[in-house]
Amino acid sequence: MIMLSCLPSSRLNLYSACNVTNMLACVMVICTLIGVAASTSTSPSDDEGFATLVAWMKLHGGRVDSRIDVATNGNGIRGVVALSAIEEGTELLFCPWELVIGSTGMQDQMQKGDGMCSVVKQMAQQIRLKSQSLWHPYFNHIELPRLAATWEPSALAELQGLPPTQDADRHVRWFHQRCDGGDILDAAAMRSLVSFISRASEVGMVPIYDLLNHHNGKRNAKLTLTDEGVTLITVGDGHIIQRGQEIYLSYGIKTASTIYRDYGFVEEWPTCWNFKDAASGDNFAFVVFPHGVVAINPSAEYLKYIWQTTNLSPEEFEAGAMRHTESLAVGDLERFAQAVRDHLEDFPSTLGEDELILEGYRKVLLAEEQAALLVSSDSSNVEDIISAISYRIEFKTALTSSLIYAESMMASKIRQNVGSHEL
């Protein structure tokens, strides 16, 4: 079976750098709960910090298109949206090398390994300077997700063995072992490490660029490098970004578990899942699209097609997924379907039971918060438990959808075979 591979990413990819899964480190106390990413429905911006950030960028020679702003989408996630129509090829942002943390020019870009350690340490030093730091307006505007590296064992247990249960602290260990980070990280080092893992580009930390969210199906911007600095431009085969539309980057084709570990959400679509069959040891992968369409056992070429394609409609993406799955033999579909059945049976709770458990935790959290019975740390642990249960629901839902689609495709192919023999 084909394992889901990780293709090049516009965000930093630590797989090749330090042989760790892109997992988070320790996070700040004030964090956001995971959500399913990507909705184009946005609310008006009241982010005064963004205006300050833009003014700071311009003061130091940067440029920011006046037609973009920060808003909160329908899932409560902050992102960058268009205030009016924006044409393809438009420069949305120019950030001079002076403001990039990690690289000073085309000939002096952030290196893997020790170079990344240096960026984390440099940023921690600047965070400690507070308002005396050149980057204070940038640091002051950063919001960090709360990911599994910060969870208590009780929250990790609710993942029911799913990643990142086993390696939730791998980035922390990387920092300790490769960067001489010491046994204890102070608040500045923690914030720096989390910011770097969850927000860095291939050249380091680029202010404003890292406000854009990820969506492989709706990607309409990309990062380019020049001798003067880093530029963010719109892409899209002639399509215009309309007013109110969110502007997206691609972090690359990554599994849902990797996206969840690194950034704290499950991608809306295309959602790339994988799992290992306990009986055979085979690795299976599938990509879920809207309307229950699934690309089963995707090839590297197919994944590359998803990553490189921009501005196709969901229906066009689905048509490509259907063609891919239709090309599989009935035997391959049956092996996949049986592995999914076995995997679902191995969980200690069903999808329906999980939904009831999740609802119960939400009611408890709401009631106790209203009664002011929870201190901050207790509330965070309940939220982490809710996050873990929500994630396993997402995975089991995806498994169920892939099983239904595989069985439907098998039945269709068998009917076709019978029909051809009768002729």
Side-chain angles (χ1 to χ4, degrees), residues 123-134 136 139 188:
M123 188 159 49
Q125 289 176 336
Q126 292 296 322
I127 290 172
R128 294 185 189 104
L129 292 176
K130 299 181 180 180
S131 62
Q132 300 302 311
S133 170
L134 169 65
H136 179 69
F139 297 146

Side-chain angles (χ1 to χ4, degrees), residues 167-211:
D167 61 353
D169 64 343
R170 290 193 74 169
H171 282 320
V172 177
R173 287 188 281 113
W174 166 78
F175 187 71
H176 289 326
Q177 296 167 7
R178 292 290 301 273
C179 305
D180 298 323
D183 295 331
I184 300 176
L185 300 180
D186 65 12
M190 289 181 182
R191 183 172 178 82
S192 175
L193 182 58
V194 172
S195 299
F196 181 77
I197 297 302
S198 61
R199 301 173 71 95
S201 73
E202 61 265 32
V203 295
M205 304 297 293
V206 182
I208 297 181
Y209 156 84
D210 58 9
L211 288 170

Side-chain angles (χ1 to χ4, degrees), residues 90-242:
T90 297
E91 178 193 274
L92 300 178
L93 166 70
F94 167 73
C95 178
W97 288 114
E98 172 193 353
L99 298 183
V100 177
I101 305 176
S103 301
T104 61
M106 291 285 286
Q107 306 305 318
D108 182 27
Q109 296 184 32
M110 180 182 68
Q111 301 299 309
K112 306 296 184 182
D114 292 342
M116 296 189 297
C117 293
S118 297
V119 175
V120 175
K121 291 179 177 180
Q122 177 189 353
M123 188 159 49
Q125 289 176 336
Q126 292 296 322
I127 290 172
R128 294 185 189 104
L129 292 176
K130 299 181 180 180
S131 62
Q132 300 302 311
S133 170
L134 169 65
W135 287 276
H136 179 69
Y138 171 47
F139 297 146
N140 201 42
H141 192 257
I142 289 178
E143 291 183 357
L144 297 177
R146 181 178 178 86
L147 301 186
T150 68
W151 293 0
E152 297 291 334
S154 58
L156 286 172
E158 292 297 341
L159 289 173
Q160 296 183 343
L162 293 173
T165 304
Q166 295 81 8
D167 61 353
D169 64 343
R170 290 193 74 169
H171 282 320
V172 177
R173 287 188 281 113
W174 166 78
F175 187 71
H176 289 326
Q177 296 167 7
R178 292 290 301 273
C179 305
D180 298 323
D183 295 331
I184 300 176
L185 300 180
D186 65 12
M190 289 181 182
R191 183 172 178 82
S192 175
L193 182 58
V194 172
S195 299
F196 181 77
I197 297 302
S198 61
R199 301 173 71 95
S201 73
E202 61 265 32
V203 295
M205 304 297 293
V206 182
I208 297 181
Y209 156 84
D210 58 9
L211 288 170
L212 273 68
N213 290 321
H214 160 84
H215 201 305
N216 277 317
K218 300 178 182 179
R219 176 168 58 99
N220 50 16
K222 70 175 183 179
L223 196 69
T224 62
L225 308 180
T226 70
D227 289 335
E228 291 74 32
V230 178
T231 303
L232 180 67
I233 62 172
T234 58
V235 297
D237 300 326
H239 288 73
I240 295 176
I241 299 175
Q242 301 297 333

Side-chain angles (χ1 to χ4, degrees), residues 351-364:
L351 181 58
E353 289 169 341
D354 286 344
E355 290 170 346
L356 292 175
I357 293 170
L358 178 62
E359 182 63 23
Y361 270 108
R362 284 175 171 165
K363 289 179 178 178
V364 168

